[in-house]
Amino acid sequence: MDLYEHEARALFEERGIPVPRAEVTDSPQEARVMARRLGGSVVVKAQVKTGGRGKAGGVRLATDPAEAERTARRILGKDIKGHPVRKVMLAQPVDIESEFYVAYVLDRAAGRFLAIASAEGGTDIEEVAAVRPEAVARIPVDPAEGVTSAKAGEIAEAAGLPPQTVDVLVRLWEVLVGQDAVLVEVNPLVRTRQGHILALDGKVTLDDNARFRQSRWGAETIAHDDPLEAAAAAKGLNYVKLDGEVGVIGNGAGLVMSTLDVVAGCGARPANFLDIGGGASAQVMADGLTVILSDPAVKSVFVNVFGGITACDAVADGIVRALDEVRLTKPLVVRLDGNNASRGRAVLDERAHPLVQQATTMDGAVRRAAELANAG
Ligand code: GDP
Ligand code: MN
């Protein structure tokens, strides 16, 4: 899960990384009051979990409280790359001399972290990395050794950052470890004309597998992001919202992943990932269908089950019970194969729901579900 900039900023501040004074609000009137408190002139920043806010008009300077109110109202009405702006952060403006880029990111393939740093940070860092990769230093970090002062010195030197950034680099590593993060990024880390180092923007991505020992960012943080993911999380489902129209339910992460690929290969787009796991109960099937059917983007649903330990007739019973609990509003294509498949198909045949159809192969089922999605 990604955190908002203001949440990342709070973590930085707690670890002693210098950040500008800032406050967060969803109200333009309150923005005016806050701007006054912050000294009059403020930078108004959209709080959305996507980069490139500056270029999208989501970061603007307001020179007095009245302008802060107007600017906040304008930014709060915006949609930045599909993310509605619900909150703005007002920050004390900073006199920037230079902008740096620093990040730690998990390198899964190598089984360690990577420090990425550049003396040419700011909104064009992607272009810098593409055009002049030598301007971006990449230093492996052994997770067991971490970032000591010596290591931080090595990173700063490789990237051409001033020595004052060494302390920030060490503390940024402490943020990562303390939060079980897989990414912490500061872009830009700036040196002000007065010679101070300040983190002006922050991105933190938490390791979802460590959520059990990180209670700080709870269900509300998730609910704020996507109501469907929040509903699925509340029911304990392995659900990820995607951008397409074909709802997908399957048993086993591998099968669901390959189902997503086959859907994409048929010229349709999957609306979600949902793994009901082995031994899925009728309740899990009903919960899964409820979440998927409540997604307005879904035009058809594909249930793809390969019975192993799970018997297909048990899954079919689950679907039938789910049909009693959930009002089916969209066509459902079911493919049952493997253990007790024929019995499972018989159960669904007997139920004879007008919106449920069966297919015997995964490809055939996906084609049908894609046709139905494109027709609906
Ligand atoms: P992003 O576009 O989503 O990465 O948003 P940032 O918070 O990084 O802001 C984009 C750019 O706005 C930064 O690279 C800075 O150049 C500029 N910016 C942000 N805050 C300030 C500030 O307090 N003072 C000045 N002068 N520029 C700022
Ligand atoms: Mn930035």
Side-chain angles (χ1 to χ4, degrees), residues 2 36 43 83 92 124 130 162 174 228 231 352:
D2 294 341
R36 204 173 295 132
V43 179
H83 299 252
Q92 277 189 337
D124 291 323
E174 290 168 2
L228 286 168

Side-chain angles (χ1 to χ4, degrees), residues 5 20 43 45 50-55 59 61 91-96 99 122-123 187-188 200-201:
E5 176 192 20
V43 179
K45 309 183 76 175
T50 181
R53 296 167 303 161
K55 289 186 174 172
V59 178
L61 182 72
Q92 277 189 337
V94 168
D95 230 351
I96 300 175
E99 298 189 300
T123 53
N187 185 35
L200 238 54
D201 183 17

Side-chain angles (χ1 to χ4, degrees), residues 351-371:
R351 178 64 175 77
H353 191 291
L355 281 173
V356 178
Q357 41 187 290
Q358 299 198 63
T360 43
T361 66
M362 177 151 150
D363 285 352
V366 168
R367 268 199 303 277
R368 191 72 196 111
E371 273 167 30

